[in-house]
């Protein structure tokens, strides 16, 4: 595997930060008709388009985005990548995704700064010990490399952690050494540039305002740049999935809710793994710039506000300060929110829909960044061939049939 020098990483970070990398995507106006339209230029939409071209040779594709590339959850998340989920269909798609992250920079010829630094999920109650040991056993059967570790090993991996916390001491953890992080904007920009190079049209500032059908089949969309025809339509709009589905005349079993995160001022390197503490609900990693990247839980009510709120800072930081006393004196630099799409079983929907030719990819909730390449791979297959082994169990009709894929660990979120 190619290793990047510190200089290359810093140069890429600067190019990403200044938007220089985004300039590679050619500005373009929509054509009259496409073989496939993907709505949503987040990671999942762009990856879907990319694999449609790469794996199936379908390049007469437009990706329509109402805002800017990666401006939704893809550019707002805390970038945790892991694949140690409990249920078989989840492990399959998340592990496919994690393995694609390993070679994404080479594949896209674009440094997405994948950093397989390892992810620990702390066990701080007896129930979590049982739950994570169960997951470790399930993962062994699924071929996903993960490991239960004792408190002493947790301390060795994260020296700044207080494992004898007053309320919730650390009792061990589920450790995935090849989990980690990646640069979120770069993932969107890398896919967008590759799509653009294949001749696809990536059209920003283009909102889909209506879906046109004829005899139960999709024929096109209405947009803020006018009507566009298509044979197939992929709806990949995360927190706005149910809004768009309604325009096409069907309902999705999902709720939209804000999820928030914050970063501290940059400090010297002090933690080189990702830590998730699901009982107290907080998770933290250190970015390449030195900021402590901190995430918490979702809002307790449905909403579409893409911004932060004061009570979340307090709740999240209060939870983490017990386990990481050193963060008590850090200053906060930024806070933000994104609209995540949450299903009842906390698993995504990758599915055909009641309208012929319309496919939907949504419901990744609080944990879909890690799934971007695997989801795009599978969704492209579903759109091109009408079925994919990776998406079969994630169809939207499972809620009607009671075939849930239950990943509702801890507080009902799964990063
Ligand atoms: C604070 C926060 C922390 C998170 N942390 C993690 C984490 O650590 N690890 C992890 O794996 N996941 C995490 N997630 C979840 C992850 O970000 C999402 O699951 C993932 O980014 C979803 O990607 P997407 O491409 O489906 O959606 P998005 O990136 O939201 O893209 C959807 C796009 O559709 C566009 N759109 C919507 N409606 C229309 C329309 N009508 N017409 C045209 N365009 C439209 C939007 O503008 C948007 O750009 C986090 C999310 C948040 C908010």
């Amino acid at each position: 595997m190619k290793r990047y020098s510190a200089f290359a990483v810093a140069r890429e970070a600067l190019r990403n930060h200044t938007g220089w990398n985004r300039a590679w995507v050619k500005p373009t106006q929509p054509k009259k008709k496409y073989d496939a339209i993907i709505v949503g230029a987040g990671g999942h939409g762009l990856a879907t388009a990319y694999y449609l071209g790469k794996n199936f040779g379908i390049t007469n594709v437009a990706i329509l985005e109402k805002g800017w590339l990666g401006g939704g959850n893809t550019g707002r998340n805390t970038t945790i990548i892991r694949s140690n989920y409990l249920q078989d269909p989840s492990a399959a798609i998340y592990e496919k995704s994690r393995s694609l992250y390993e070679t994404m920079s080479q594949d896209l010829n674009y440094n997405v700064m994948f950093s397989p630094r390892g992810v620990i999920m702390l066990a701080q109650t007896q129930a979590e010990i049982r739950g994570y040991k169960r997951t470790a056993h399930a993962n062994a059967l699924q071929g996903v490399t993960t490991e239960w570790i004792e408190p002493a090993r947790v301390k060795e991996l994260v020296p700044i952690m207080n494992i004898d916390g007053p309320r919730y001491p650390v009792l061990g953890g589920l450790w995935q050494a090849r989990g980690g992080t990646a640069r979120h904007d770069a993932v969107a920009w890398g896919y967008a540039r590759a799509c653009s190079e294949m001749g696809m049209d990536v059209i920003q500032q283009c909102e889909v305002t209506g879906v046109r059908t004829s005899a139960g089949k999709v024929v096109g969309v209405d947009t803020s740049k006018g009507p566009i025809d298509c044979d197939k339509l992929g709806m990949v709009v995360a927190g706005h999935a149910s809004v768009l589905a309604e325009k096409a005349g069907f309902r999705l079993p999902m709720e939209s809710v804000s999820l928030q995160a914050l970063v501290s001022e940059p400090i010297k390197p002090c933690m080189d793994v990702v830590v998730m503490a699901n009982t107290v609900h907080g998770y933290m990693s250190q970015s390449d710039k030195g900021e402590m990247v901190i995430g918490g839980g979702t809002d307790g009510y449905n909403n579409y506000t893409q911004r932060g709120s004061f009570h979340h800072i307090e709740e999240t930081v209060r939870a983490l300060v017990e386990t990481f006393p050193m963060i008590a004196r850090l200053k906060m630099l930024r806070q933000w929110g994104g609209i995540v799409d949450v299903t009842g079983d906390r698993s995504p929907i990758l599915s055909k829909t009641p309208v012929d030719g319309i496919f939907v990819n949504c419901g990744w909730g609080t944990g879909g960044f890690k799934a971007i390449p695997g989801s795009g791979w599978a969704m492209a297959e579903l759109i091109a061939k009408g079925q994919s082994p990776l998406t079969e169990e994630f169809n939207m009709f499972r809620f009607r049939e009671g075939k849930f894929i239950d990943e509702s660990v801890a507080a009902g979120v799964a990063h």
Side-chain angles (χ1 to χ4, degrees), residues 40 42-44 65-66 73-74 77-78 80 208 238 366-370:
H44 287 264
E65 166 56 49
K66 74 172 173 184
N73 295 332
T74 299
N77 73 87
T78 46
I80 298 173
V208 172
T366 57
F369 176 71
K370 63 178 72 61

Side-chain angles (χ1 to χ4, degrees), residues 39-46 64-81 85 206-209 236-240 244 247 258-261 283 295 306 336-341 361-362 364-372 414-415:
V39 192
H44 287 264
L46 290 161
L64 310 181
E65 166 56 49
K66 74 172 173 184
W68 65 96
L69 289 178
N73 295 332
T74 299
R76 293 166 189 265
N77 73 87
T78 46
T79 80
I80 298 173
I81 296 170
Y85 281 70
C206 180
E207 178 171 2
V208 172
T209 52
V236 198
V237 294
H240 294 85
L244 198 56
K247 294 187 199 302
S258 174
L259 176 68
Q260 299 181 28
Y283 44 100
Q306 285 182 308
W336 64 92
I339 307 305
V340 296
D341 42 349
N361 175 340
C362 60
W364 293 98
T366 57
F369 176 71
K370 63 178 72 61
I372 284 172
H415 296 289

